[in-house]
Amino acid sequence: VGSGPAGLFAALQLASDGCAVTLVERGEPVERRGRDIGRLMAGRQLQAQSNFCFGEGGAGTWSDGKLTTRIGRNSGDVRAVLRTFVRHGAPAEILTQGAPHLGTDGLIGILKSLRGQLTELGVDLRFGTRLLGLETEDGACVGVRVLGEAGEATLRADAVVCAAGHSADDVYDALEAAGAKLEAKPVAVGFRVEHPQSLVNGLAYGDLACRVVTGNSRTDKANLLRHPTDEALSRDSDALLPVAAYRLAADVGDHSIYSFCMCPGGQVVPALTKPSEMVVNGMSYSRRHSLFANAALVVSVATDDPCLDQSLGARRVLAFQRSLERKAAVLGGGDYVCPVQRLTDFVDKKTPMKRSPPASSYRLGVREASLHDDLLPDPLADALREAATGAFERSMPGFVG
């Protein structure tokens, strides 16, 4: 159940071992999914089951395409995954790079090729098919009930692999209804912070920032305006530098604050599945040639954090997450507009003045709001504020602005 990375590689391994596999995915293949995302970005038409979160490849398909791991890049499983990507069209350099990156445009072709291999192995791929419930007998799961184009159906199985990701709340409902034990897990919540990429280049490289060349005339012009040089540089020049990235972390009291999913030369996109909620993600194409850099700036929330409603049991963390997303939608004013606040105003606890909102890569519009007051609980906002003005500003002078 689910065709994100876990579901796809589970299906690939099981089918390669000779098992009969049916892969159920509520969203659509990348070709149709891309068109559905295009309708959202051009016409504000959200497809509930095919969007930036749901569909072939999972939420990561329309993300930065970073191949990161916390279990060691040289472990056997990680090397096997990287080799699979290369067999399906990824550049061989990812096998040796310290921080390999594919980009959304690279991932789409890889997923189409991987789908072809799964089909050759006999995997029954059912896109546009949503899980309704689990079938159980004598306390064991023996199949699933699904809803697809042909209506409801029951699929019997010797085993069910649930790889649904974090956005499919109804899957958690189905698991709980079937008797599965759910446990809350710690999370991290916060914002996307966005800077001009030329600023980040300068913070990372100093006088050498002029040697970042993306091939995009607008982006390269902005970088040269901030970091002038007499050299005539192009994508073919020697000794160029990659578009700069960063990683930040600090501890404040019981909370860890850190940057996550940093997207150099990227854009902020709506990662929502319902019009009543607002949540964003970051993505980059392979050239990382946007004017902007963005990263998640998040604060940890333990399962016993006072901001959680402990009476909700295993659902308390998920309920808190969804409450933030609903608040954010209200602050944005609806129509997929994203609430924003200048980082300087956030750390100074200033109510935004009536002025034009800051420039942003988010294409559906932004609206200034008092995020320091109206979104996160005070202890979480205070921890973010202390980290930004303290450890982060010391590591990257000018980060706050």
Side-chain angles (χ1 to χ4, degrees):
V1 179
S3 72
L8 287 173
F9 276 91
L12 178 62
Q13 185 64 58
L14 289 168
S16 298
D17 290 343
C19 299
V21 178
T22 299
L23 182 61
V24 174
E25 166 58 53
R26 70 195 303 153
E28 300 295 340
V30 287
E31 299 92 337
R32 180 170 175 181
R33 186 182 177 192
R35 293 192 292 272
D36 290 336
I37 288 173
R39 281 191 280 270
L40 171 61
M41 301 306 290
R44 301 177 189 270
Q45 301 175 39
L46 175 66
Q47 302 298 315
Q49 308 300 334
S50 180
N51 44 57
F52 279 100
C53 280
F54 297 148
E56 187 177 19
T61 303
W62 267 266
S63 188
D64 193 50
K66 288 186 291 292
L67 303 179
T68 56
T69 174
R70 293 180 176 84
I71 63 173
R73 279 188 43 77
N74 292 319
S75 74
D77 289 340
V78 172
R79 302 302 295 175
V81 168
L82 294 176
R83 287 193 293 270
T84 299
F85 282 135
V86 171
R87 282 198 298 272
H88 290 286
E93 289 78 10
I94 69 170
L95 298 173
T96 56
Q97 290 173 332
H101 169 253
L102 295 174
T104 288
D105 45 341
L107 282 168
I108 290 173
I110 292 168
L111 285 167
K112 291 165 68 175
S113 177
L114 180 56
R115 188 201 315 155
Q117 182 183 4
L118 292 174
T119 301
E120 290 176 1
L121 289 170
V123 175
D124 181 5
L125 296 166
R126 301 198 183 192
F127 292 102
T129 302
R130 181 165 58 88
L131 178 76
L132 295 178
L134 277 65
E135 292 289 298
T136 60
E137 293 179 2
D138 300 324
C141 182
V142 296
V144 294
R145 287 179 288 108
V146 298
L147 176 64
E149 291 184 359
E152 291 190 25
T154 298
L155 306 177
R156 301 282 294 187
D158 296 320
V160 175
V161 177
C162 186
H166 70 54
S167 296
D169 294 4
D170 52 352
V171 174
Y172 303 138
D173 295 336
L175 288 167
E176 190 170 41
K181 181 182 178 181
L182 302 183
E183 294 182 4
K185 59 175 289 186
V187 295
V189 299
F191 309 102
R192 279 267 156 191
V193 61
E194 197 166 38
H195 294 89
Q197 182 61 54
S198 58
L199 172 66
V200 177
N201 292 340
L203 293 174
Y205 299 135
D207 293 340
L208 296 178
C210 61
R211 305 203 68 83
V212 176
V213 180
T214 68
N216 180 286
S217 59
R218 187 181 177 200
T219 300
D220 292 342
K221 180 180 179 181
N223 194 60
L224 287 175
L225 284 173
R226 189 182 290 268
H227 312 291
T229 179
D230 293 332
E231 292 186 76
L233 297 171
S234 71
R235 290 275 290 175
D236 298 323
S237 299
D238 294 330
L240 295 180
L241 292 169
V243 180
Y246 61 81
R247 181 179 296 176
L248 300 167
D251 290 327
V252 177
D254 293 331
H255 297 288
S256 295
I257 298 88
Y258 54 94
S259 61
F260 173 74
C261 188
M262 197 272 155
C263 299
Q267 57 184 291
V268 179
V269 297
L272 45 86
T273 60
K274 301 174 184 176
S276 59
E277 298 170 354
M278 168 53 64
V279 59
V280 296
N281 194 12
M283 64 164 279
S284 296
Y285 291 105
S286 56
R287 284 170 54 196
R288 290 176 159 171
H289 60 316
S290 163
L291 285 167
F292 296 93
N294 74 77
L297 199 63
V298 296
V299 54
S300 62
V301 180
T303 56
D304 60 351
D305 194 288
C307 69
L308 303 178
D309 183 349
Q310 299 296 323
S311 69
L312 297 177
R315 295 298 189 96
R316 60 191 181 275
V317 176
L318 187 61
F320 176 61
Q321 175 188 338
R322 295 296 179 245
S323 72
L324 295 180
E325 293 171 1
R326 288 191 291 271
K327 285 182 182 178
V330 172
L331 291 172
D335 210 18
Y336 312 115
V337 173
C338 183
V340 299
Q341 185 174 24
R342 287 171 170 84
L343 190 51
T344 50
D345 287 348
F346 177 81
V347 299
D348 291 337
K349 300 183 180 181
K350 286 185 178 179
T351 300
M353 298 184 295
K354 292 184 178 179
R355 55 187 171 183
S356 298
S360 172
S361 66
Y362 185 79
R363 289 167 47 191
L364 296 182
V366 297
R367 177 185 182 186
E368 285 208 84
S370 297
L371 300 180
H372 64 284
D373 275 340
D374 299 333
L375 192 57
L376 290 182
D378 287 343
L380 302 185
D382 289 342
L384 280 167
R385 186 178 298 109
E386 184 173 338
T389 56
F392 295 173
E393 185 67 22
R394 288 194 298 272
S395 295
M396 295 178 62
F399 180 83
V400 172

